[in-house]
Amino acid sequence: MSQRHPSVGIIGAGMSGICQAILLRQAGVTDVTIYEKGADVGGTWRDNTYPGLSCDVPSRFYQFTFAMNPSWTRLFSPGPEIHKYFQALTDRYRLSEIIRFATEIVDARFAGGRWQLTTGAGEQLSHDFLIAATGVLREPRTPAINGLADFDGPVMHSARWDHSVEMAGKRVAVIGTGSTGVQIVCGLADFASRLDLFQRSAQWILPLPNPRYYRWMNPVRRRVPRLSAIGYYTYHLVFEWLAGALIRPGWRRRFMSGACRANLRTVRDPDLRRRLTPDYQPMCRRLIMSAGFYPAMQRDNVHLVDAGIDHVERRGIVTTDGELRELDAIVLATGFDAHAFMRPMSLVGRDGLTLEHLWAQGPRAHLGVALPGFPNFFMLMGPHSPVGNYSLTAIAEAQANHITGWITRWRAGEFDTVAPTRRATDDFNASMRRAMPGTVWATGCSSWYLGADGVPELWPWTPHEYRQRLAATPDINDYDIDSLVTSA
Ligand code: NAP
């Protein structure tokens, strides 16, 4: 039987959308279009440009196995370098010819056996397969702080950095102590005349240094690609080890906790140390890696403000103790809506089933990539993907390979449409919930890992087990499959 030629639409030209498009084209799928609402590729690495931005996963592990970069400059490369990596992949794999920039998909519905898409400009499009590569932390969360709009100076979310604002010599507030807030504090401490970090919850910090790589090694790495592979798989083992600390109690967790507590003891002033001490277990929230944070917090121009924010006025922020802290700029490092996924786009599956209806109890996806009632639809970085303190490129690659496998079967004529059954999706979800109590994420803290019901939404086993599940031949009993053979 001759091969069929599927038409595939991918939403998003960020890290995972790029990965998916490359793997599909390498598998011989030629009709692929990426819809990107922005003007450039790179997703989170395009949107986040704040000072101090880097990736806290080692660069040698934050890349694709099919396109290792031999020239990373540091153990944890700065954001612009990572963005350049994805831009370079776009050039190398000639993806610009299949990306439609400035094109937002606002509605996608399954009708007539295909996905019918509508763009923000009202254009109608159609594909056999639809893949949402819309990212995890994309929708900035702006806190409802009284009077924020009254502030005289600039207010910016970390993911919408305004580079026209000069921060050097200014009095700057950073609100939020997640990975982003910590990186911004390290990035601004040298320049701001006064930096106030508004902390609602203290964080555990692992002090990982960020050494430069020797440049003379780059030509050697280019000539011997195996060196990059060795680097990748070494970090892979390290992160599998770390996952062990996250998902079950034991000596690894105690070791990691000890390392965080020892780091905290490097804060010399006992009062500051007390105020920086979290009231939950290390790693319950995403563990922050930073060698520079505690040194920055002990500088004379940097202040920890742990009184709550009462309101903002024209001149600055007023805390609940009545003190006004006069400011020139306010930075909101207040995180993202981690449960938005592809929304606000509207998604409608078979028989009018809406995503809102399917997700009435919270985001659920079979194996993190597929939804019951949504045939020939897949997600990258969907609910329950192992995204906590792990390499998202590694996860994207495993998911994209899995999805490519389904599309390859379609090409061979094995089926017309596929979606996981409701039972398989519910069973998958129930088994994860049963495993959650052993994880550190369920030890009693608030974080973006938790769903509305307070249960963590991450993968509760090792990333290796996740990759194995994705790579295994799918159990067809877990899928509603309309096949050419059975319908003939
Ligand atoms: P986040 O971890 O969700 O942290 C948001 C911070 O804002 C929290 O400290 C939160 O306080 C605070 N906050 C929110 N609303 C507030 C309010 N009204 N008043 C005072 N404080 C408020 O967000 P994030 O730092 O942007 O990080 C999100 C995720 O992005 C990370 O967990 C990580 O996965 C990813 N990230 C990765 C890297 C990397 O290097 N790979 C770098 C940056 C970010 P509470 O804690 O009290 O809620």
Side-chain angles (χ1 to χ4, degrees):
M1 190 180 187
S2 65
Q3 292 224 318
R4 297 190 290 174
H5 295 288
S7 160
V8 182
I10 299 173
I11 306 177
M15 175 275 287
S16 60
I18 288 175
C19 176
Q20 182 68 75
I22 294 170
L23 292 184
L24 279 171
R25 289 175 112 197
Q26 285 180 340
V29 179
T30 50
D31 184 355
V32 179
T33 307
I34 306 182
Y35 301 101
E36 168 54 57
K37 105 179 152 178
D40 191 5
V41 301
T44 198
W45 299 107
R46 174 201 62 205
D47 292 346
N48 285 276
T49 60
Y50 57 76
L53 173 69
S54 72
C55 182
D56 61 9
V57 173
S59 319
R60 299 227 182 280
F61 191 38
Y62 193 89
Q63 58 179 338
F64 299 126
T65 55
F66 54 82
M68 303 259 199
N69 174 9
S71 318
W72 294 113
T73 57
R74 286 181 176 274
L75 178 61
F76 303 103
S77 294
E81 193 176 332
I82 299 169
H83 187 206
K84 273 200 197 106
Y85 170 73
F86 293 115
Q87 288 173 317
L89 289 188
T90 307
D91 292 343
R92 192 200 307 180
Y93 292 93
R94 301 206 321 274
L95 296 184
S96 296
E97 60 195 40
I98 61 165
I99 302 177
R100 287 190 52 181
F101 288 107
T103 306
E104 180 176 8
I105 303 300
V106 293
D107 185 87
R109 51 192 65 228
F110 188 74
R114 283 167 73 86
W115 281 95
Q116 315 293 341
L117 313 185
T118 307
T119 68
E123 188 184 353
Q124 307 285 322
L125 304 149
S126 173
H127 292 285
D128 297 306
F129 285 87
L130 180 63
I131 300 169
T134 43
V136 198
L137 300 166
R138 176 177 44 87
E139 292 287 315
R141 198 173 50 193
T142 304
I145 298 175
N146 276 341
L148 196 54
D150 300 335
F151 182 58
D152 262 351
V155 178
M156 65 188 87
H157 189 275
S158 56
R160 301 287 181 271
W161 198 266
D162 181 349
H163 290 272
S164 69
V165 175
E166 181 56 76
M167 296 287 186
K170 298 288 165 47
R171 299 160 302 175
V172 183
V174 175
I175 302 178
T177 52
S179 305
T180 304
V182 163
Q183 290 188 347
I184 293 175
V185 165
C186 297
L188 285 183
D190 275 347
F191 305 103
S193 66
R194 201 188 77 221
L195 187 59
D196 292 345
L197 174 63
F198 287 78
Q199 167 185 284
R200 197 165 63 177
S201 315
Q203 296 273 4
W204 289 108
I205 314 275
L206 197 66
L208 290 187
N210 189 10
R212 270 190 172 282
Y213 285 125
Y214 297 116
R215 282 178 57 182
W216 58 262
M217 272 298 287
N218 291 350
V220 181
R221 287 186 186 282
R222 263 192 290 278
R223 266 199 299 278
V224 190
R226 192 171 291 178
L227 289 177
S228 293
I230 290 171
Y232 183 96
Y233 290 106
T234 303
Y235 286 116
H236 163 91
L237 292 177
V238 170
F239 276 77
E240 285 296 322
W241 183 93
L242 175 62
L246 300 171
I247 61 177
R248 64 183 89 88
W251 69 272
R252 295 180 218 209
R253 195 178 289 177
R254 286 195 297 278
F255 176 84
M256 293 297 290
S257 297
C260 293
R261 290 177 202 281
N263 186 33
L264 183 62
R265 287 196 288 276
T266 63
V267 176
R268 290 180 304 274
D269 174 11
D271 183 54
L272 180 62
R273 195 186 319 136
R274 178 187 57 74
R275 293 159 64 212
L276 286 169
T277 305
D279 58 2
Y280 53 87
Q281 277 196 35
M283 298 180 294
C284 182
R285 292 162 168 233
R286 189 179 192 279
L287 185 57
I288 296 178
M289 324 277 186
S290 174
F293 180 62
Y294 290 151
M297 292 309 297
Q298 295 176 84
R299 294 171 58 117
D300 290 340
N301 66 327
V302 180
H303 305 275
L304 180 70
V305 184
D306 51 359
I309 297 173
D310 186 75
H311 67 278
V312 177
E313 61 141 84
R314 207 170 49 75
R315 288 170 299 158
I317 295 179
V318 180
T319 45
T320 48
D321 52 13
E323 191 183 339
L324 165 69
R325 302 192 74 90
E326 293 197 31
L327 296 162
D328 300 307
I330 297 177
V331 173
L332 305 174
T334 44
F336 300 85
D337 176 359
H339 308 288
F341 294 99
M342 51 280 201
R343 294 175 282 192
M345 177 182 92
S346 75
L347 191 71
V348 183
R350 183 169 263 157
D351 303 326
L353 175 64
T354 63
L355 184 68
E356 298 311 317
H357 185 78
L358 182 73
W359 281 2
Q361 308 301 319
R364 311 268 184 269
H366 187 55
L367 294 177
V369 293
L371 305 176
F374 291 74
N376 293 1
F377 171 82
F378 293 99
M379 311 174 63
L380 290 149
M381 301 296 143
H384 330 296
S385 297
V387 296
N389 281 116
Y390 195 69
S391 165
L392 298 202
T393 56
I395 295 307
E397 201 175 321
Q399 293 178 332
N401 270 315
H402 174 84
I403 295 166
T404 302
W406 278 113
I407 295 176
T408 303
R409 280 177 217 117
W410 187 95
R411 289 180 78 203
E414 290 182 25
F415 67 91
D416 270 351
T417 64
V418 64
T421 64
R422 179 64 92 126
R423 180 198 51 75
T425 310
D426 289 348
D427 287 353
F428 175 67
N429 190 52
S431 67
M432 280 190 305
R433 293 171 86 85
R434 279 195 299 277
M436 265 331 151
T439 69
V440 71
W441 313 307
T443 53
C445 64
S446 66
S447 77
W448 64 263
Y449 289 169
L450 306 183
D453 55 3
V455 177
E457 290 188 341
L458 302 181
W459 171 259
W461 300 288
T462 64
H464 178 67
E465 287 170 279
Y466 184 66
R467 274 194 296 268
Q468 279 187 323
R469 280 289 295 270
L470 287 179
T473 306
D475 180 348
I476 56 162
N477 296 313
D478 288 346
Y479 292 88
D480 287 324
I481 292 179
D482 281 345
S483 106
L484 287 173
V485 179
T486 54
S487 59

